Amino acid sequence: MALASQAANLLEKAIGHTGDAVTEQNLTNPDRDREKYADPSGEKMKALAWMGKNDVQLVETYKPKILEDRDVILKVTGSTICGSDLHLYRGAVIELQKGDILGHEFCGKVDSVGPNVKNLKPGDRVVASFQIACGECMYCQKKLSSQCERTNSNKVENIMYGGRTAGMFGYSHFTGGFAGGQAEYARVPYGDVNLLKLPEDIPDEQGLYLSDVLSTSWNCVVDTGVKEGDVVAIWGAGPIGQMCAEMSFIRGAKRVIVIDGGPAAWRLDLVKSKTPKVETLNFTDLPKGTTVTSKLKEMEHGGPDVALECAAGEYAKSWTHQLELLTGAETDTSEILNEMVTSVKNYGRCGITGVYVGFTNHFNIGSIMERGIRFIGNGQAPVHLYWEELLKMLQDGSLNSGIMLSHRVDISEMDTLYQKFAARADNIQKVFVQTKFSDPPAPGTPELISWK
């Protein structure tokens, strides 16, 4: 995939962009053009940058400046690491360039605003959506912010997918090339649209996760149609899978079965401890001849009604798929997808939220057609559609994001965090990453730890 990423960068340079973005593209680090992108004060900041496959480093770079009239500059008070960041870390997402600042989930305090930003002022506490929306196009008018037509002019993505997503923070030049929020400062284009004010009763340790994980989990559950009385199976016990389990019960699910195994099997015990109603299935403990599909059909007559994919397409089990991923014969394995398709009841529903970036082999399309399986790509979650509703749920206590929060670290140890998170080490589930601008830990949240 590293070679594919380099080739995609060269292709994008050769064919150019579509030219229809209304915000600056490919500014993943102010240090790339200090005159154009750096704050005139010359102030420096810490940031986490991608340096190559399996290599991220804390760097000193320049504080970004306001470039456009609706920009907001944030003092970042909280960020985190996401399973999606591991796809970047491992080079599974194309068009990364050395020095790109990562991070798509962050919150902060407004430092400065552009002249056309009327709804925010310095000092306001806000959370950023991981996608960058213009607020005006066809999709934005429906609050489908992740599909904004005007913030990503990447032509390679358009060719590969037949359309483009919105621009996204810290997620390669494939999604517009925007600097991310794993930094002490962040520039937010269209800040009047892409920032949500946080009320006093919601600390950063809760509000931060409106940026992605809560909206993504809710979108997965709602878009796949989880309803009263459903039996739901969830592949992946990470933060998304954990919150999907909790949210499936909120939506009225009768049973929720979470599947994981291997080095991540400890997450099943964590999820069970936080949501005791959950049932778990460790695929590494299955006896010879028993598959995930056969076990699920043993647990529930006909299998679950709904299957939710909360893992990703890069985790191959078989030698066949490992070889095909290694040689570039496919970009994503179909193994989990096939397990889902064969596990659900006839006319069951499969929702795909884990990241899949390209093409797969050996996909069981026949089962989908013959058995009437509803195979749903949940898409990059439209944060703007949900985050106000989810904020109210946090406020009234019907939703508790704290069940996934396991650690608090300082941004100075973010490179170590990537290594440990990738290795599924230290029982790291969801992290709060503080900066020099952060408030002390909110009551009941993890205290700061250090690996130094």
Side-chain angles (χ1 to χ4, degrees), residues 132-362:
I132 300 164
C134 73
E136 298 160 358
C137 71
M138 173 179 70
Y139 292 112
C140 287
Q141 288 178 20
K142 300 174 183 177
K143 293 197 172 183
L144 300 176
S145 47
S146 60
Q147 307 302 322
C148 176
E149 297 177 295
R150 304 170 69 212
T151 57
N152 176 16
S153 63
N154 186 284
K155 192 176 285 187
V156 172
E157 186 182 17
N158 201 53
I159 293 169
M160 280 183 63
Y161 296 161
R164 293 187 305 269
T165 63
M168 296 179 193
F169 290 106
Y171 215 75
S172 90
H173 299 260
F174 194 62
T175 61
F178 295 91
Q182 290 170 356
E184 292 178 322
Y185 286 97
R187 169 185 169 260
V188 181
Y190 290 95
D192 53 337
V193 172
N194 295 302
L195 295 169
L196 179 70
K197 285 185 183 179
L198 293 175
E200 290 185 9
D201 59 342
I202 297 297
D204 285 353
E205 292 88 344
Q206 290 187 56
L208 164 62
Y209 304 109
L210 293 166
S211 187
D212 179 0
V213 58
L214 294 180
S215 299
T216 294
S217 303
W218 190 246
N219 180 62
C220 180
V221 170
V222 171
D223 190 54
T224 314
V226 174
K227 63 182 188 301
E228 190 82 29
D230 275 343
V231 176
V232 179
I234 298 171
W235 273 254
I240 298 290
Q242 181 180 11
M243 294 313 300
C244 279
E246 186 75 11
M247 290 168 171
S248 291
F249 282 126
I250 290 173
R251 296 275 294 181
K254 179 173 64 176
R255 298 175 68 188
V256 176
I257 304 163
V258 180
I259 303 146
D260 213 321
W266 61 266
R267 301 189 302 189
L268 293 170
D269 293 331
L270 172 68
V271 172
K272 180 76 173 175
S273 72
K274 300 295 184 179
T275 308
K277 292 186 292 183
V278 161
E279 301 167 61
T280 60
L281 196 169
N282 184 341
F283 62 77
T284 50
D285 287 346
L286 292 175
K288 188 175 182 180
T290 301
T291 65
V292 169
T293 292
S294 65
K295 185 63 178 177
L296 286 171
K297 290 183 182 291
E298 176 188 317
M299 296 173 72
E300 172 67 23
H301 178 70
D305 303 286
V306 177
L308 304 177
E309 206 285 3
C310 301
E314 66 178 88
Y315 303 111
K317 296 179 185 177
S318 72
W319 284 107
T320 300
H321 282 284
Q322 288 178 32
L323 180 62
E324 289 177 348
L325 288 173
L326 184 64
T327 59
E330 65 178 3
T331 60
D332 306 275
T333 174
S334 59
E335 290 163 292
I336 291 177
L337 306 180
N338 286 336
E339 284 181 353
M340 294 168 63
V341 167
T342 56
S343 294
V344 293
K345 291 181 174 71
N346 293 1
Y347 294 103
R349 306 182 301 285
C350 297
I352 317 304
T353 281
V355 172
Y356 288 74
V357 297
F359 304 94
T360 190
N361 298 324
H362 318 294

Side-chain angles (χ1 to χ4, degrees), residues 12 62 113 120 176-177 183 211 241 258 276 283 287 304 311 313 326 340 364 375 405 419 440:
E12 184 70 22
Y62 287 91
V113 301
L120 296 170
S211 187
V258 180
F283 62 77
L326 184 64
M340 294 168 63
N364 196 344
F375 192 79
L405 182 56
Q419 296 166 15

Side-chain angles (χ1 to χ4, degrees), residues 16-39:
H17 282 218
T18 58
D20 50 1
V22 292
T23 185
E24 184 83 9
Q25 306 282 284
N26 296 317
L27 58 166
T28 51
N29 189 325
D31 202 34
R32 296 202 188 284
D33 188 335
R34 299 174 193 177
E35 181 88 22
K36 187 174 182 181
Y37 300 136
D39 189 83

